[in-house]
Amino acid sequence: MSSTPRIVLLPGDGIGPEIVAAARRLLDALGEFEFEELLMGGCSIDAHGVALTDAVLAACRESDAVLLGAVGGPKWDTTDPDAPRPEQGLLGLRKGMGLYANLRPVRPSPALVGASPLREERIAGTDLLVVRELTGGIYFGDSGRDGDSAHDTCEYSVAEIERIARAGFGAAQRRAAGGGRSARVTSVDKANVLETSRLWREVVGRVAGEYPEVELDHLLVDNAAMQLVSRPAEFDVILTENLFGDILSDESAMLTGSLGMLPSASLGEAGAPGLFEPVHGSAPDIAGRGIANPLATFLSTAMMLRHGFGRADEAERIEAAVDAVLERGLRTPDLLGGTVAPAPTPENPSPESEVGTTEMTDAVLAEVQLDLP
Ligand code: NAD
């Protein structure tokens, strides 16, 4: 990586440009970065007729990291199978950048535990990471119809399992190093039924030998789905294949109850650029109103610093700043869940107060800069 990290920004559609502009301000406050802002998604369809041009893909592959807002919106919704669609850009990026590991951390901010559909005492202390294999398994195996039957084939090779297992163990190691906790990987499969799962368990167990300081346990996927809602705080890293990961990462996302707070990273081979993006979509219903919640994008930026650039200190500084502004009661409207912010009282002089994207960004910037040397 060059001394000044080169970041491709793909704001995309809807609220994407608003939240990516906010993240750019945050990065500018933290240090020196080189930015290249390019079109992807619906905006690229309008300009070039395709969601992802070869030139944009090439720029992403040559960068040190890609930060994406969100793509899509009613303007590009179509039932015409031949018309270009914004999400083709996302799939093209994943494939073209060789991104096989999807990382979704779930760490409800202490000030927001009340927003979870789970009882506060169950969710308190939850800080887990779902590591999902992204390019293999049943979504990519042979599928077809034969008369009145249909099939989808699940296939995994040893090499595919090894590389995602290393991504999982590596992430557990980094989390432990940053947070003073012990590292644990829970590998999720269905080894009592599926042959691919038996291979998965065997290979993950072997790769675990390369990481003696990381504890490994195995859970069957049905049990994992139950444990996630009954004792989420006891998980560290959940490592799983594509289909199980798709379902479990959405289940874990719901634990926080706040879509505007969830970051994600998709990573490829070591040294190759990763893609960092909020989990939410382009929120066309609120685009251009200045009320988009930028916090999931800030937390995705923290993931970029940690996983993309090895700058864990700055990642933690952003995460702490996000917690601090929420603790002070600042809320974008989505975090108020349709309620009106209460007025201050002597008993509660700083209750929740409603802010827009700019005020929320200003507050996070001020917190981050407080700690700067
Ligand atoms: P969405 O996540 O865009 O919005 C769901 C609800 O959450 C909306 O009410 C929205 O206003 C709110 N919301 C989402 N993010 C918010 C934020 N940061 N701040 C405040 N409120 C926020 O999901 P959707 O409505 O199903 O999809 C809208 C468009 O986004 C569709 O075109 C869809 O295909 C696309 N989409 C894109 C991605 C992506 O780019 N990765 C992911 C999901 C959906």
Side-chain angles (χ1 to χ4, degrees), residues 13 15 19 40 68-77 86-87 90 94 259-261 264 277-287 291-297 332-335 357:
D13 310 311
I15 60 168
I19 53 179
M40 201 278 283
L68 168 73
V71 298
K75 181 174 178 194
W76 303 280
D77 283 348
E87 56 276 19
L90 286 176
R94 277 183 198 156
L259 195 54
M261 295 299 304
S264 80
E277 57 178 319
V279 167
H280 62 72
S282 61
D285 50 333
I286 58 161
I291 57 168
N293 180 353
L295 298 181
T297 314
T332 43
D334 57 302
L335 297 177
T357 312

Side-chain angles (χ1 to χ4, degrees), residues 343-350:
T345 60
E347 300 75 45
N348 187 6
S350 42

Side-chain angles (χ1 to χ4, degrees), residues 30-366:
L30 278 171
E32 285 274 308
F33 299 94
E34 242 175 66
F35 298 106
E36 191 176 3
E37 196 165 311
L38 299 169
L39 297 180
M40 201 278 283
C43 53
S44 173
I45 293 176
D46 290 349
H48 305 294
V50 288
L52 175 69
T53 62
D54 292 345
V56 170
L57 176 59
C60 291
R61 289 165 58 128
E62 282 156 23
S63 72
D64 292 318
V66 179
L67 183 66
L68 168 73
V71 298
K75 181 174 178 194
W76 303 280
D77 283 348
T78 170
T79 49
D80 174 357
D82 297 324
R85 283 171 291 114
E87 56 276 19
Q88 287 167 340
L90 286 176
L91 299 177
L93 271 182
R94 277 183 198 156
K95 190 157 180 270
M97 293 174 69
L99 306 172
Y100 60 81
N102 183 245
L103 275 58
R104 274 207 210 174
V106 177
R107 185 190 64 94
S109 187
L112 294 181
V113 286
S116 170
L118 296 189
R119 282 204 306 274
E120 229 170 290
E121 64 271 23
R122 289 246 157 125
I123 193 77
T126 297
D127 180 0
L128 61 87
L129 174 71
V130 180
V131 177
R132 166 189 170 195
E133 202 288 328
L134 210 51
T135 56
I138 199 163
Y139 292 175
F140 292 90
D142 178 54
S143 65
R145 295 268 182 119
D146 187 8
D148 57 2
S149 70
H151 67 276
D152 298 282
T153 314
C154 183
E155 265 184 79
Y156 268 110
S157 69
V158 168
E160 282 174 318
I161 303 170
E162 279 175 349
R163 65 181 188 176
I164 188 70
R166 291 196 178 101
F169 286 106
Q173 237 175 6
R174 283 193 296 276
R175 281 161 59 84
R181 55 151 90 193
S182 62
R184 189 154 43 88
V185 167
T186 301
S187 173
V188 173
D189 59 38
K190 189 72 181 167
N192 55 343
V193 180
L194 301 175
E195 198 53 44
T196 40
S197 278
R198 284 190 278 272
L199 180 68
W200 178 276
R201 199 174 271 220
E202 198 180 296
V203 174
V204 169
R206 201 163 59 231
V207 172
E210 299 168 21
Y211 301 83
E213 68 288 17
V214 183
E215 194 190 317
L216 168 69
D217 57 6
H218 301 275
L219 268 189
L220 295 175
V221 63
D222 38 351
N223 192 3
M226 286 196 295
Q227 307 274 341
L228 257 177
V229 286
S230 61
R231 50 171 199 101
E234 285 171 42
F235 286 100
D236 178 10
V237 170
I238 296 175
L239 169 67
T240 191
E241 58 94 77
N242 204 346
L243 169 65
F244 299 158
D246 191 4
I247 299 166
L248 293 183
S249 59
D250 270 17
E251 186 189 0
S252 337
M254 265 317 292
L255 296 176
T256 68
S258 321
L259 195 54
M261 295 299 304
L262 291 162
S264 80
S266 301
L267 307 176
E269 293 305 333
L275 173 70
F276 302 86
E277 57 178 319
V279 167
H280 62 72
S282 61
D285 50 333
I286 58 161
R289 290 173 51 197
I291 57 168
N293 180 353
L295 298 181
T297 314
F298 293 169
L299 295 173
S300 306
T301 305
M303 292 191 84
M304 178 171 77
L305 291 163
R306 177 180 288 117
H307 298 282
F309 305 153
R311 293 163 67 157
D313 289 0
E314 289 164 332
E316 280 163 30
R317 193 176 288 154
I318 294 176
E319 288 156 357
V322 167
D323 281 349
V325 299
L326 292 169
E327 210 59 59
R328 284 191 357 235
L330 269 56
R331 301 281 187 273
T332 43
D334 57 302
L335 297 177
L336 286 166
T339 57
V340 176
T345 60
E347 300 75 45
N348 187 6
S350 42
E352 295 175 338
S353 55
E354 186 169 322
V355 295
T357 312
T358 305
E359 285 162 284
M360 186 61 109
T361 305
D362 290 345
V364 172
L365 283 186

